[in-house]
Amino acid sequence: MLIIDAHLDLSMNAMEWNRDLRLPVDVIRAREKGLSDKPDRAKGTVSLPELRRGGIGLVVATQIGRYVAPDNPLPGWHSPWQAWAQTQGQLAWYKAMEEAGEMVMIRDLPSLEKHLLRWAAPAPGTVTNSATSPDTRPIGYILSLEGADSIVTPDYLHRAYAYGLRAIGPAHYGPGRYANGTDSTGKLSADGKRLLQEMDNLGFILDATHLCDEAFWDAMELYTGPIWASHNNCRALVDHNRQFSDDMIRALVAKGAVIGGALDAWMMVPGWVRGTSTPEGTHCNLEKVIDHLDHICQLAGNAFHVGMGTDLDGAFGKEQCPYDLETIADLRMMQTLLEKRGYGADDIENILHGNWLRFLRKAWA
Ligand SMILES: [Zn+2]
């Protein structure tokens, strides 16, 4: 079954982690043995062959570049122009992957429908393992921007739309130029409102993930275009401002949003202590994300508003993801796990791809 993953930071991994994502995961891991500059060295779970092996033929892939003011301790660029240039380097990597036949950009309905036909046909040959996979179908990607700091002025949205950017989450971690994000507070600034207005005019999808509560509610009131939450779990199950409260979930459902279940362990199980807790020690397996998906389905009264948005390459790997997942290809297990939880065939299809597709067909009609 086709699986859609609505949140991967592929180009960040290529350009900042120096990962050649055309290679099998074990080869990428082997090359990182002994490195300690990132917490997930030699523990990555995502590469293009693994996506193919898992039937994950379509992803939402990010550009990401943060601006930090002098008093902001988070890592980031010292000017919006540098952050912009960073995202343009990331775009160049996606383009290089397209030229290599590894990926294909999905930016409108015709390219989406064409790509779905490509992935509806059975995979060529028998896939035994990633190293010898004869499956060479390109991974479709919808370009999204995580944190809008790199949009130097809202005018830049025009050229971003022209090169294929289709979704924007205005905030990430901490204070943002347009909207404050996770672990931060405050309403949308005048610039933030201008950004949303211009996004609305151009037809961007607004990604509500990472908006701090006040900015979230401002955005819900202001934005008239399509809204999704690419990678977000539930505050009712793991209490943290990064997660959605039940009221936020209800508001998103009322807007027709789809919310992607994230596989970052600290968002899945309560009490995670970074660098100390382990997936095994906290019983964090794939079934835990179903608890979050199910919570949203119960609030919605149906299974039309959830999908997957794993974030599996978001600066963590095996050390901080479900212990029963060795690589992203194991997302295939979700089908059986959802069956076990009592979900019917239609609901499972909707959760694994149908809801995102319905959303996109409506947004891009
Ligand atoms: Zn994120």
Side-chain angles (χ1 to χ4, degrees):
M1 184 185 296
L2 174 72
I3 299 178
I4 296 178
D5 186 342
H7 191 81
L8 289 174
D9 298 309
L10 297 175
S11 63
M12 182 189 86
N13 279 264
M15 303 309 294
E16 290 173 59
W17 270 243
N18 197 4
R19 288 174 170 165
D20 181 359
L21 299 179
R22 299 171 311 134
L23 300 175
V25 152
D26 49 357
V27 175
I28 297 173
R29 286 182 187 168
R31 185 117 189 223
E32 295 182 357
K33 285 253 157 63
L35 294 183
S36 58
D37 58 321
K38 313 271 189 198
D40 56 329
R41 282 299 183 197
K43 298 185 198 101
T45 61
V46 178
S47 80
L48 299 173
E50 289 302 314
L51 286 169
R52 283 185 199 105
R53 200 161 69 84
I56 307 152
L58 180 59
V59 303
V60 178
T62 63
Q63 296 173 292
I64 180 166
R66 181 188 291 123
Y67 161 75
V68 287
D71 60 346
N72 187 341
L74 291 172
W77 295 101
H78 292 183
S79 76
W81 292 270
Q82 290 166 278
W84 167 262
Q86 173 83 358
T87 63
Q88 298 315 292
Q90 293 165 348
L91 176 65
W93 178 79
Y94 287 119
K95 290 293 159 196
M97 288 300 98
E98 288 191 58
E99 276 184 46
E102 295 275 352
M103 297 181 76
V104 59
M105 182 184 260
I106 308 301
R107 57 198 289 165
D108 52 21
L109 274 190
S111 54
L112 175 65
E113 302 300 348
K114 187 177 165 195
H115 187 66
L116 292 174
L117 285 178
R118 200 181 270 137
W119 276 81
T126 309
V127 181
T128 46
N129 65 58
S130 57
T132 57
S133 169
D135 186 352
T136 54
R137 292 175 295 182
I139 302 296
Y141 74 103
I142 296 164
L143 193 63
S144 178
L145 179 66
E146 184 166 31
D149 289 355
S150 60
I151 300 295
V152 179
T153 69
D155 269 353
Y156 275 64
L157 289 174
H158 292 258
R159 44 179 128 162
Y161 193 87
Y163 67 61
L165 186 66
R166 288 295 177 267
I168 298 179
H172 193 223
Y173 278 86
R177 293 182 58 231
Y178 296 101
N180 290 342
T182 301
D183 294 333
S184 193
T185 55
K187 295 175 73 63
L188 279 182
S189 64
D191 283 346
K193 287 178 183 169
R194 267 211 317 135
L195 183 89
L196 255 59
Q197 184 65 58
E198 204 54 35
M199 282 172 56
D200 230 339
N201 294 342
L202 287 162
F204 276 102
I205 295 162
L206 170 68
D207 190 345
T209 293
H210 283 297
L211 286 169
C212 71
D213 284 25
E214 292 97 327
F216 172 92
W217 290 112
D218 280 350
M220 285 292 129
E221 206 178 297
L222 279 174
Y223 209 68
T224 65
I227 302 176
W228 71 23
S230 60
H231 57 307
N232 239 112
N233 292 346
C234 305
R235 208 174 284 183
L237 304 184
V238 178
D239 188 15
H240 189 280
N241 71 77
R242 164 78 178 83
Q243 317 262 72
F244 285 141
S245 70
D246 288 359
D247 281 345
M248 293 163 103
I249 292 166
R250 285 190 199 95
L252 285 164
V253 167
K255 290 266 190 186
V258 177
I259 303 169
L263 296 181
D264 194 341
W266 80 263
M267 294 167 62
M268 299 172 69
V269 291
W272 181 273
V273 183
R274 224 171 258 276
T276 304
S277 297
T278 63
E280 289 82 2
T282 53
H283 308 289
C284 183
N285 55 22
L286 276 170
E287 290 190 61
K288 290 291 186 292
V289 79
I290 299 181
D291 296 344
H292 290 267
L293 299 178
D294 190 67
H295 183 78
I296 296 168
C297 291
Q298 300 307 328
L299 290 173
N302 57 54
F304 298 144
H305 298 278
V306 289
M308 294 304 296
T310 68
D311 202 13
L312 274 171
D313 57 359
F316 63 93
K318 274 292 290 170
E319 80 290 356
Q320 201 175 302
C321 78
Y323 62 75
D324 49 351
L325 183 142
E326 184 61 31
T327 79
I328 194 164
D330 293 325
L331 269 190
R332 284 178 305 188
M333 295 194 297
M334 287 295 291
Q335 194 173 339
T336 321
L337 293 172
L338 284 161
E339 274 167 22
K340 206 174 117 192
R341 194 65 73 95
Y343 280 79
D346 287 352
D347 285 341
I348 295 173
E349 225 168 88
N350 278 333
I351 294 169
L352 295 184
H353 63 254
N355 291 334
W356 293 122
L357 292 181
R358 192 188 62 248
F359 180 99
L360 286 166
R361 285 179 173 131
K362 188 168 174 228
W364 290 350

